[in-house]
Amino acid sequence: MIELYLFLAFMIIAAFIATEIKDLLAAVISLGAVGFAVAIMFILVQAPDLAIVQIVVEVVTIVIFVAVIFRTTHIDETIGKKLTGPHVFSIVSFSFFALLFLIAVINALQELPAFGNATMKVASEYIRLGLPGTGGANLVADVILDFRALDTLGEATVLFTSVIGVVALIRSVGRKK
Amino acid sequence: MKGMSLIVRTITTVIIGFIFIYGIYITLHGHLTPGGGFAGGVIVAGALILRILVFGSEPADEKKSEIRTSIFESVGALLFIGIALAGLVIAGTFFLNFLPKGIPFNLLSAGIIPFCNIAIGIKVGAGLFSIFLALAAVKYVVKD
């Protein structure tokens, strides 16, 4: 379990760097470090399906980010300016509410069952019925494409809608010219 | 889009076929090994994006292949919902696993799950690639 917390600390540091660094290419690389740390954590808790998806999605996202940065600009000019009164006030108030939220979260987490002991019985039913019920050796595929295929249809619809949105928005820009 | 240097081109020539085949393998073996339609589709899209980034392409070609990938994406989505409707027509339940289960750990087993994986793989791969092509086409519009 300790390695999970180490990766969590690494991710928090990398996320801070990604938001605060001036060079946008370095920020994208830090973002990639966060994504790959998530992938390693998935492998550590024995979820290779999610790890594969996380790695390939992270790679494609970074490629698109880097392609955009090479075509626009490297430097984020909003970072590194002197803090003014409103900024200081917003940082202080945000930290205060983040602290309150964290105290509440710690109290809530005490009530959760221990790691790996789910309260719901549905997961053990999936494990029991997975191979005899569907014939698929990969339990994740059994769940997402047989037991809960309707959810997968919804997810595919979300992707379809986003692709239609991107293509339609960018094409309308192209038509005006 | 402009291409990259000779070293990158040579390495990509060697590697890109393997990436493509790996994506297809992940999609086809989704019901046996980790992975599945989504991961395999993203890997295939990554291979296609790598080709565009490394070897470059003409704006006219990009527009043509954007239309083609949009058709592929729609075909994938229709295939997926067609499998679901086939369950409704043949056995009376939406998304029912109506095909024979087969022997576990064989490539042709688990009923409709491999076919759903193929449909999702086509859909995700074509969808991500068409997003990339749409974003790549913007540059020329802004430049003109």
Side-chain angles (χ1 to χ4, degrees):
Chain A
M1 281 300 283
I2 185 72
E3 64 268 21
L4 286 184
Y5 288 105
L6 283 177
F7 275 109
L8 208 58
F10 173 76
M11 278 163 59
I12 290 169
I13 293 166
F16 267 116
I17 291 171
T19 53
E20 292 300 324
I21 204 159
K22 214 172 167 141
D23 190 347
L24 285 176
L25 197 59
V28 168
I29 291 166
S30 309
L31 200 65
V34 176
F36 281 109
V38 173
I40 294 169
M41 280 172 78
F42 280 143
I43 292 170
L44 286 176
V45 295
Q46 297 174 9
D49 283 87
L50 285 172
I52 289 174
V53 172
Q54 175 69 29
I55 288 171
V56 292
V57 170
E58 196 64 41
V59 167
V60 171
T61 322
I62 290 173
V63 164
I64 290 177
F65 269 131
V66 171
V68 169
I69 283 173
F70 273 141
R71 246 161 254 175
T72 53
T73 177
H74 270 260
I75 306 297
D76 184 359
E77 271 141 17
T78 57
I79 288 172
K81 284 183 179 165
K82 273 202 169 169
L83 291 177
T84 51
H87 278 120
V88 174
F89 174 73
S90 58
I91 288 170
V92 168
S93 58
F94 177 79
S95 312
F96 176 69
F97 283 107
L99 199 68
L100 276 186
F101 175 73
L102 281 179
I103 291 168
V105 164
I106 286 167
N107 280 328
L109 286 181
Q110 306 292 327
E111 301 292 319
L112 284 180
F115 190 76
N117 299 317
T119 48
M120 303 248 285
K121 294 284 175 283
V122 62
S124 50
E125 282 298 295
Y126 284 151
I127 293 168
R128 195 169 63 80
L129 290 173
L131 190 55
T134 66
N138 182 5
L139 190 63
V140 178
D142 296 348
V143 172
I144 65 168
L145 291 175
D146 194 307
F147 294 119
R148 316 206 59 164
L150 205 59
D151 289 353
T152 310
L153 183 64
E155 182 228 311
T157 314
V158 168
L159 187 73
F160 192 68
T161 317
S162 61
V163 171
I164 287 174
V166 168
V167 171
L169 278 174
I170 286 171
R171 267 198 186 158
S172 73
V173 172
R175 275 208 198 102
K176 266 180 210 160
K177 284 270 170 177
Chain B
M1 195 176 293
K2 223 170 65 211
M4 291 187 187
S5 71
L6 185 65
I7 299 168
V8 183
R9 276 165 192 256
T10 312
I11 292 172
T12 307
T13 317
V14 175
I15 229 176
I16 194 163
F18 290 108
I19 300 176
F20 207 89
I21 290 171
Y22 185 62
I24 294 169
Y25 162 80
I26 287 266
T27 309
L28 288 183
H29 288 69
H31 57 300
L32 304 175
T33 54
F38 195 88
V42 180
I43 293 172
V44 168
L48 296 169
I49 290 171
L50 182 71
R51 193 191 74 85
I52 295 276
L53 282 179
V54 170
F55 294 106
S57 67
E58 296 294 315
D61 290 347
E62 277 175 18
K63 194 153 267 180
K64 238 189 261 169
S65 51
E66 196 193 318
I67 294 165
R68 277 189 208 135
T69 41
S70 304
I71 292 169
F72 262 100
E73 208 218 347
S74 308
V75 166
L78 288 176
L79 213 62
F80 191 39
I81 209 156
I83 292 166
L85 286 175
L88 183 65
V89 170
I90 291 170
T93 312
F94 199 59
F95 264 120
L96 190 80
N97 200 340
F98 60 89
L99 290 173
K101 305 284 185 289
I103 308 154
F105 299 99
N106 274 14
L107 186 57
L108 268 178
S109 64
I112 62 166
I113 291 177
F115 301 101
C116 286
N117 266 329
I118 292 168
I120 292 175
I122 293 171
K123 210 200 98 55
V124 170
L128 276 179
F129 188 52
S130 66
I131 286 181
F132 176 80
L133 284 176
L135 289 174
V138 169
K139 184 199 164 197
Y140 301 104
V141 173
V142 174
K143 235 184 178 176
D144 293 343

